[in-house]
Amino acid sequence: MTGRGIPFRKMHGLGNDFVVVDTRTRPFALTTARAVRIADRRTGVGCDQLVTIEPPRPEHPGSAAFMGIRNADGGVVEACGNATRCVAHLLMEEAGTDTVILGTLAGPVVARRAGRDSVRVDMGRATVTDAILSAERDPRHLDLGQPPFTDAVAVSVGNPHVVAIVDDAEAVDLRGVGPIVEHHDLFPDRVNAEVVSRRDAGLLRMRVWERGAGITRACGTGACAAVVAAVSRGVIARAPTTVALDGGRLLIDWRDADDHVLMTGPVATAFTGVLDESLLP
Ligand SMILES: N[C@H](CCC[C@H](N)C(=O)O)C(=O)O
């Protein structure tokens, strides 16, 4: 190690874990090769997504920074709810503020403190469709040919999701069906896949196969997509809903007035460290 390594912070939202690199003070290109190396849980640090905190971009007026996101397989991510809470928390701690605007590829998002280590993020508009679906398909009833995704709901939260509503989310062979759905040719950029069950009036259980990361313990945009899908199919009322993930619970509210989806949940730092040059091809 030559001492020219890159400092990082290991963070997570309900176990959906990230390596966060602040590139505002020192150059660090977020590349596919670096994401794959750093995300490797044996030879790298290990994470679901690699996240960079970059200087703000002019297209996001008032933003404090831009957040770059890559999946463990190096793929580009437009939106990442759990990571947004983590980075927003860092920036609010840094600035001593209770609110912050973050730029992402999906657009600017507004975050605010919601408690000691809890953050609420306005993730922007969530819609039942996906830009690439053609007009003759009903995004509320998509048949992807793989049960239970033979009657799925396509939801965009800035990144693409397909949600299957089932009686028992625990009973789905997500490791089997997830990769097939992720690579379905209806989604040229691939897609995140969620299975959702209604546990109670305001409580959903959700499991996720994430595009480019596989099964993760939580997915913030996935939880948003799950609520949008369940409301759109009349499974739950349009009201603040708790989503129970493998790693814990998020509070999601798909706001009536503007179709924005609000997500509230915890953030945590596990450790800080220095990326050795060998991880930086
Ligand atoms: N875990 C993230 C979602 C990452 C989605 C990523 N797998 C994609 O390719 O869109 C979240 O908390 O929203």
Side-chain angles (χ1 to χ4, degrees):
M1 193 150 135
T2 61
R4 294 214 315 269
I6 298 282
F8 71 87
R9 179 178 288 262
K10 183 72 174 15
M11 301 188 78
H12 71 89
L14 300 177
N16 178 202
D17 65 337
F18 314 107
V19 168
V20 181
V21 177
D22 189 339
T23 70
R24 292 174 295 174
T25 51
R26 52 189 308 166
F28 174 88
L30 179 59
T31 64
T32 298
R34 286 182 171 181
V36 171
R37 287 261 182 112
I38 292 166
D40 189 302
R41 295 193 186 278
R42 290 275 184 283
T43 58
V45 179
C47 60
D48 293 327
Q49 280 88 26
L50 174 62
V51 177
T52 48
I53 303 175
E54 304 174 16
R57 295 187 180 180
E59 63 264 34
H60 303 135
S63 62
F66 176 83
M67 185 171 69
I69 315 161
R70 292 286 182 122
N71 280 317
D73 73 351
V76 173
V77 177
E78 306 89 344
C80 181
N82 287 317
T84 302
R85 293 200 313 279
C86 289
V87 171
H89 190 263
L90 287 180
L91 294 172
M92 289 188 283
E93 289 290 297
E94 181 184 88
T97 57
D98 286 336
T99 184
V100 68
I101 299 173
L102 250 183
T104 71
L105 286 180
V109 289
V110 181
R112 64 180 63 253
R113 287 182 195 278
R116 194 172 126 68
D117 289 324
S118 177
V119 177
R120 190 187 80 163
V121 181
D122 176 347
M123 294 295 292
R125 280 194 79 228
T127 53
V128 175
T129 182
D130 192 290
I132 53 109
L133 286 183
S134 53
E136 73 263 13
R137 287 192 181 86
D138 178 354
R140 277 174 184 70
H141 295 282
L142 276 186
D143 180 359
L144 302 182
Q146 287 293 327
F149 292 89
T150 42
D151 184 16
V153 186
V155 181
S156 174
V157 191
N159 59 349
H161 296 263
V162 280
V163 181
I165 296 166
V166 297
D167 292 335
D168 180 6
E170 317 300 339
V172 177
D173 172 19
L174 202 50
R175 208 167 289 284
V177 71
I180 300 168
V181 171
E182 173 188 356
H183 292 85
H184 194 283
D185 56 19
L186 203 53
F187 299 92
D189 293 331
R190 294 183 288 149
V191 69
N192 297 285
E194 290 87 15
V195 289
V196 176
S197 304
R198 180 185 184 280
R199 279 279 172 81
D200 203 334
L203 176 61
L204 295 177
R205 168 71 171 115
M206 185 198 105
R207 295 171 60 220
V208 60
W209 174 274
E210 279 196 34
R211 171 179 66 170
I215 290 180
T216 63
R217 296 191 61 187
C219 181
T221 51
C224 296
V227 169
V228 170
V231 168
S232 306
R233 293 278 285 271
V235 171
I236 55 171
R238 188 159 184 165
T241 300
T242 298
V243 179
L245 303 146
D246 291 356
R249 296 183 167 205
L250 291 174
L251 180 65
I252 307 294
D253 184 9
W254 186 29
R255 198 163 55 193
D256 225 347
D258 55 7
D259 277 347
H260 279 217
V261 59
L262 307 176
M263 168 199 60
T264 305
V267 302
T269 290
F271 56 89
T272 58
V274 178
L275 298 171
D276 186 79
E277 278 185 312
S278 62
L279 288 178
L280 307 172

